[in-house]
Amino acid sequence: MPEFSVAPYRELTFDADGDVQAGQLAAVRALRVRDLVVFAHGWNNDRSMATTFYDRFFAPFAALDPPGTTGYVGVLWPAMGSPHDPLPDSAPRGAAGPVDAVGPALRPELDEATRQALRTAFPDRADVVDRLARMLAEQPTNHAAFDEFGLFVRKLAEVPPRGAPASFAQDIEAEDAAPGSTDPAMLFDDPATVCRAFTDALEELGAVPSRAREGAFGIGLDRLWDGGKELLRQGTYYAMKRRAGTVGQLGLGPALGELAERNPDLRIHLVGHSFGARLVSFALRGLPKSVTNVKSVTLLQGAFSHHAFAPRLPHQAGGGVLRGQERRIDGPLVCCHSEHDAALKVFYPLASRLAGDSTGLLGDDPKWGALGYGGIKGVDGTKRLTLAQALAGGLPKDGCVNVDAAAKVRRGGPPSGAHSDILHKELAQVVLAAGRIRA
C-alpha cells in the first residue's frame, strides 16, 4: 500500500456480485488489532478518488486514537462515478472550500470521461451508453425522441444483480417502489413528463439556467434535455442503489463473518457515506447469525430511506427493508444527518416519488425522505442529539441515535449542497465515540 494517513490500512475490493478480490481478505485477517474501522464510499467508481477520500477522512484518527490498537479498511466497490457527476459522492481532490458541482458539467452533453465511467459501470451496455450520449448532444425536439431516450435509460438500468436470487433482488429494490411493484415508475412512465419534473427541480436549485417553457411544434422541448441527463443519472442511481445492497449483503457481510470467525475478539466498526451507508447497513443482513463482533455503525449522509429500519411503515403494510437489523449491532447505530444536504433534500425524495408514483411529483411527502437529511424515522426509542452533545459524551451504548451534524456538514453549492462535506475531525470523533474506541 502507498503511504497513508493511518496504519495499518488495507482494502477490500468487491465486484458487482459481492465477490471479494483474492488475497485481500487474508491480508485483513492477518492484522493484529483490537478494533477495525471499515469505511464504504458512496457513488464513485474511481479507486484513486475513493482512496484519497479515505485518506483524508482517516487523517484525524492518528492523533485521536491510541496507535497500534486500531486497523483501517477501505471498501472499494464498482459504483457509477464520473469526474463531472452533478451529484458527487466524494469531495474533489485537494478541495479546501465548498464542494461545488455547478459548471460546464451540467450541460446535457456527456463528456468522454462520463461516457467511459458509464461503460466501466455497465460493461455490457457500451452501445446503449453511446446512443444516450448522442441523443443528449443532439437534443431532438419531439416527444418520440424522449420515448426512445426513456427506453434506452431503462435498458441501462435494468441490469439485474447477477448471482442474486430473485426474491433478494426484489427485496433490495422494493424500498422505494410502489406497493406490490419492484419497478421504478420513473423508468416506465412518460419520459417527457419525468424529464420535465427533473428540469423544474434543477432550475429551482439554480443548477441549470431557467428557460422558456415548451409550446407547440416542439418549441422549448430542448429545455427538457437538462432533465433527460438527470433521468439518466437517476437510472444509474437506481442501479447503483441496488448494487450497494447486493455488495453489502452478499459480499461485505459474509466477509465480516469470516473475519469474526478467525478472530472472535475483533471489534468491528462500520462507517458508510451516501450509498456506502446503505452498503454497510445491508452488510448487517449478510452477517452469520452467530456473529456479534460489530460494535458500532456510523452512517454519514446516508442515501436511503429514513424508514429503512422501521418495524412498521406509515404508508403501506409491512416494515422497512432493514427492520430490526440494528439489533445485529453490539453497540449503537449512529445516523449523522444535515439539513444542508440538498442532494438528499430535493433529489432523493423526487427520485423516490418518481420510482413509486410518477403522478405525485408535487408536495412534501414525508414517506420519501432520506435518513441522511432528517435521520432515522419510525424506530421507537431513537435518540436525537446535536453534534456537540454527541461529542460531549451523549452517545448511547446501543440503539438508534440521530446526530444533527449540520453545524459542520454545511458547505457546498447546488445541486448537491453539503452531501459530501464530511471530511471533518468532529465526524471522526463521532466514529470513535460510537465504537468506544478511545482509551
Side-chain angles (χ1 to χ4, degrees):
M1 293 299 301
E3 185 176 348
F4 211 74
S5 59
V6 290
Y9 170 79
R10 300 290 186 270
E11 290 177 351
L12 290 176
T13 303
F14 296 91
D15 66 16
D17 298 328
D19 294 326
V20 67
Q21 186 171 308
Q24 289 189 333
L25 191 58
V28 176
R29 215 165 38 227
L31 295 176
R32 294 295 178 259
V33 294
R34 182 191 67 181
D35 293 279
L36 191 68
V37 180
V38 181
F39 196 153
H41 65 76
W43 190 347
N44 190 333
N45 192 54
D46 186 321
R47 179 185 181 277
S48 176
M49 290 177 66
T51 53
T52 298
F53 198 47
Y54 293 151
D55 188 37
R56 295 178 65 192
F57 184 83
F58 283 142
F61 284 71
L64 294 170
D65 184 42
T69 62
T70 303
Y72 302 87
V73 172
V75 173
L76 301 174
W77 60 287
M80 164 58 197
S82 151
H84 307 303
D85 196 292
L87 204 165
D89 266 6
S90 66
R93 210 169 306 163
V99 178
D100 190 351
V102 177
L106 290 184
R107 294 196 305 265
E109 296 89 347
L110 298 182
D111 61 22
E112 184 54 36
T114 302
R115 292 193 197 193
Q116 187 54 47
L118 282 166
R119 295 185 192 111
T120 300
F122 303 100
D124 299 330
R125 296 291 190 274
D127 56 336
V128 175
V129 171
D130 291 341
R131 178 57 181 160
L132 289 166
R134 286 197 299 273
M135 296 190 74
L136 286 170
E138 295 167 1
Q139 300 180 33
T141 54
N142 59 79
H143 282 276
F146 285 96
D147 291 340
E148 182 182 358
F149 187 81
L151 173 64
F152 278 98
V153 171
R154 188 160 64 246
K155 285 183 177 181
L156 188 70
E158 283 187 327
V159 180
R162 292 165 294 174
S167 59
F168 168 76
Q170 291 170 359
D171 204 6
I172 292 286
E173 296 165 18
E175 178 183 318
D176 291 323
S181 170
T182 58
D183 294 325
M186 67 177 173
L187 298 182
F188 292 88
D189 285 355
D190 176 58
T193 299
V194 175
C195 290
R196 184 177 296 109
F198 282 132
T199 299
D200 291 344
L202 288 165
E203 290 182 357
E204 181 181 348
L205 281 172
V208 298
S210 297
R211 292 193 277 172
R213 303 296 167 122
E214 63 268 24
F217 307 108
I219 296 173
L221 277 179
D222 56 336
R223 163 183 176 267
L224 302 190
W225 286 107
D226 287 321
K229 184 177 181 180
E230 181 62 22
L231 174 59
L232 169 58
R233 196 187 65 79
Q234 292 289 349
T236 61
Y237 175 102
Y238 169 76
M240 292 306 110
K241 180 177 183 179
R242 179 179 57 202
R243 185 176 291 179
T246 300
V247 173
Q249 183 167 341
L250 300 185
L252 182 59
L256 296 176
E258 186 173 339
L259 291 174
E261 181 182 355
R262 299 295 185 92
N263 187 353
D265 296 327
L266 181 66
R267 306 174 75 250
I268 298 171
H269 311 277
L270 302 180
V271 186
H273 171 235
S274 190
F275 274 174
R278 192 173 198 267
L279 191 156
V280 299
S281 296
F282 271 81
L284 298 173
R285 283 183 33 160
L287 283 177
K289 292 183 178 180
S290 60
V291 172
T292 60
N293 297 59
V294 176
K295 302 300 180 182
S296 68
V297 175
T298 304
L299 309 179
L300 305 172
Q301 303 310 117
F304 62 107
S305 173
H306 57 198
H307 287 124
F309 294 94
R312 296 172 301 280
L313 296 176
H315 52 283
Q316 65 187 68
V321 69
L322 292 168
R323 55 193 175 277
Q325 293 301 317
E326 72 278 6
R327 293 194 291 271
R328 297 305 315 273
I329 309 168
D330 186 22
L333 170 62
V334 179
C335 173
C336 292
H337 59 92
S338 171
E339 65 182 355
H340 304 298
D341 190 330
L344 299 184
K345 177 182 180 180
V346 177
F347 281 98
Y348 181 87
L350 179 59
S352 297
R353 289 197 297 271
L354 285 168
D357 180 8
S358 288
T359 63
L361 301 178
L362 301 178
D364 184 17
D365 190 335
K367 70 183 179 183
W368 300 125
L371 52 75
Y373 176 69
I376 296 169
K377 308 284 188 184
V379 179
D380 292 342
T382 298
K383 294 180 172 58
R384 287 194 167 272
L385 301 174
T386 64
L387 182 59
Q389 289 170 333
L391 296 178
L395 286 178
K397 294 183 179 180
D398 53 28
C400 296
V401 55
N402 291 322
V403 174
D404 186 347
K408 283 292 179 179
V409 181
R410 59 185 304 111
R411 303 177 308 157
S416 302
H419 184 62
S420 297
D421 184 27
I422 67 166
L423 301 177
H424 298 286
K425 179 180 73 173
E426 290 80 1
L427 296 183
Q429 290 175 303
V430 169
V431 173
L432 292 168
R436 305 301 198 263
I437 297 176
R438 286 178 290 188

